[in-house]
Amino acid sequence: MESLNVFLLIGTGLMFVGLLLGTLSARIGVPSLLVFLVVGMVAGEDGIGGIQFDDFSLAYVVSNIALAIILLDGGLRTRLTTFRLALKPALSLATVGVMLSASLVGAFATWLMDVDWRLGLLLGGIIGSTDAAAVFNVVKGAGVTINERVASTLEIESGLNDPMAIFITLMLVGVMMNPEVEFGWEMLITLVQQFGLGALMGLGLGALLSEILLRARSNEGLHALLLCSGGAMVFATTNLAGGSGFLAVYLAGLVAGNRRGGTGDNVLRSMDSLAWLAQSGMFLMLGLLVTPSELIGDSLINALLVALFLMLVARPLSVWISLLPFRFKWREKLFISWTGLRGAVPI
């Protein structure tokens, strides 16, 4: 019983400190998710907390559930009109943009660290996609009026681009494990399967979920919990079928949020609390996994150089090329380039 109370005290204490500091982060211009990550690192084995945590399997499960809730919340808040407005540029960024970013970072990492090109490209693929948790959080909490098309493009891109990054990563892992494998139809089928099944099951199961919720008469707090559990089921079912659960749960939220006038304000407020709980808990756990002492040295220098190349060269260039067919002003392209935030998915 005593160990349970100690566990609860530590867990809730970290959450309280992270949330408290998160409320102050907006005043100094620091993303709140970075605050949660740092709190986790400070509480970890190299910090003042000294907490030993290295359960990567648990972190993987918790992070996937949290991301499903965050993407569901993002889909619920995306109006169909803005989705139509920004779908084409977002889809271009989610496919062509991710491939270009991954290729450029891969080439740079191969040259910088003098590693096999497959390893370099694998690193590029892992960090090629933007992260919904980071993008939604910063766009919502920016405190300034952002052009609707730009904001929608960023949000929709972050909900759509994971299948491409997952495809690149799995493809390269397969090539490294079996060097004799060829780039053939099987890999193309995998990509189509990720996007196709993710889209079809997201729209279909989202319509079914929204119909069930419309017929179920429940209070608004319970409605939000039904949405979350239903969204998690869509995420898991699509993954089991071989599609992209991230894409599916985002589209399911889009369908549910736009059926018959959308979701009520009170339900969205409840979902906002659940999304905050998901992302704060996830980044605290990811912070606990970090061992700062192991980052010092050549690895830190190489990581910073790769990050700078991604921010200043690869992402801006891929955004500029991906958005050539669309009429975006150069300032809008610059904003989209700089707001290509990375977070939980690459980790």
Side-chain angles (χ1 to χ4, degrees):
M1 187 67 180
E2 184 177 345
S3 60
L4 174 62
N5 289 324
V6 171
F7 176 78
L8 286 173
L9 177 61
I10 293 172
T12 54
L14 287 175
M15 184 71 73
F16 182 82
V17 171
L19 290 169
L20 188 62
L21 293 175
T23 60
L24 304 174
S25 64
R27 301 179 187 178
I28 57 176
V30 177
S32 57
L33 299 184
L34 180 61
V35 172
F36 292 120
L37 194 66
V38 171
V39 169
M41 292 171 64
V42 171
E45 55 187 297
D46 279 353
I48 58 176
I51 299 173
Q52 301 282 337
F53 180 76
D54 59 357
D55 193 337
F56 289 90
S57 297
L58 176 62
Y60 177 77
V61 172
V62 171
S63 296
N64 272 273
I65 296 171
L67 281 166
I69 295 172
I70 293 162
L71 281 163
L72 177 68
D73 181 62
L76 288 169
R77 297 172 190 278
T78 303
R79 299 275 65 86
L80 203 54
T81 51
T82 61
F83 189 84
R84 290 169 181 159
L85 176 69
L87 175 60
K88 290 181 179 178
L91 193 58
S92 179
L93 286 169
T95 53
V96 177
V98 171
M99 284 193 294
L100 286 172
S101 291
S103 301
L104 290 168
V105 172
F108 179 75
T110 301
W111 169 80
L112 176 68
M113 294 183 283
D114 193 24
V115 296
D116 186 280
W117 68 270
R118 289 166 294 190
L119 281 172
L121 194 55
L122 177 62
L123 175 61
I126 290 171
I127 62 176
S129 66
T130 60
D131 179 60
V135 171
F136 291 162
N137 178 267
V138 171
V139 170
K140 285 192 295 184
V144 294
T145 302
I146 301 173
N147 180 296
E148 183 181 30
R149 189 185 183 205
V150 171
S152 299
T153 297
L154 279 168
E155 291 188 355
I156 295 169
E157 178 206 0
S158 68
L160 298 182
N161 62 15
D162 292 311
M164 179 60 73
I166 291 169
F167 164 73
I168 294 172
T169 302
L170 292 177
M171 177 186 69
L172 287 165
V173 169
V175 169
M176 291 172 65
M177 292 177 65
N178 184 11
E180 303 300 323
V181 72
E182 297 180 357
F183 294 87
W185 287 106
E186 288 186 8
M187 292 184 178
L188 183 60
I189 291 171
T190 301
L191 177 61
V192 173
Q193 182 175 310
Q194 282 277 312
F195 272 105
L197 279 178
L200 288 174
M201 295 187 71
L203 294 172
L205 294 176
L208 178 62
L209 175 63
S210 63
E211 193 65 33
I212 293 172
L213 292 173
L214 286 169
R215 296 178 184 279
R217 300 189 178 276
S218 59
N219 61 54
E220 289 172 327
L222 182 59
H223 194 86
L225 291 175
L226 285 170
L227 266 173
C228 277
S229 57
M233 290 173 64
V234 172
F235 176 79
T237 303
T238 307
N239 281 333
L240 287 171
S244 170
F246 293 124
L247 175 59
V249 75
Y250 176 75
L251 292 177
L254 177 74
V255 172
N258 285 276
R259 287 291 298 276
R260 299 184 189 177
T263 308
D265 291 339
N266 289 333
V267 173
L268 287 177
R269 278 193 287 270
S270 298
M271 282 298 304
D272 191 48
S273 298
L274 291 169
W276 266 103
L277 177 64
Q279 61 195 17
S280 58
M282 174 175 58
F283 277 85
L284 277 172
M285 182 174 290
L286 293 175
L288 286 171
L289 285 175
V290 178
T291 307
S293 61
E294 295 180 357
L295 304 179
I296 300 172
D298 292 339
S299 296
L300 178 61
I301 295 172
N302 288 335
L304 290 174
L305 289 174
V306 170
L308 286 171
F309 181 84
L310 172 63
M311 289 189 295
L312 302 177
V313 180
R315 171 70 179 179
L317 189 58
S318 63
V319 167
W320 184 78
I321 293 174
S322 301
L323 296 182
L324 274 178
F326 311 99
R327 296 180 180 179
F328 280 90
K329 299 177 181 177
W330 70 268
R331 292 179 180 177
E332 294 174 337
K333 291 181 180 178
L334 184 63
F335 183 83
I336 293 172
S337 300
W338 193 248
T339 322
L341 300 164
R342 269 67 184 168
V345 173
I347 296 172

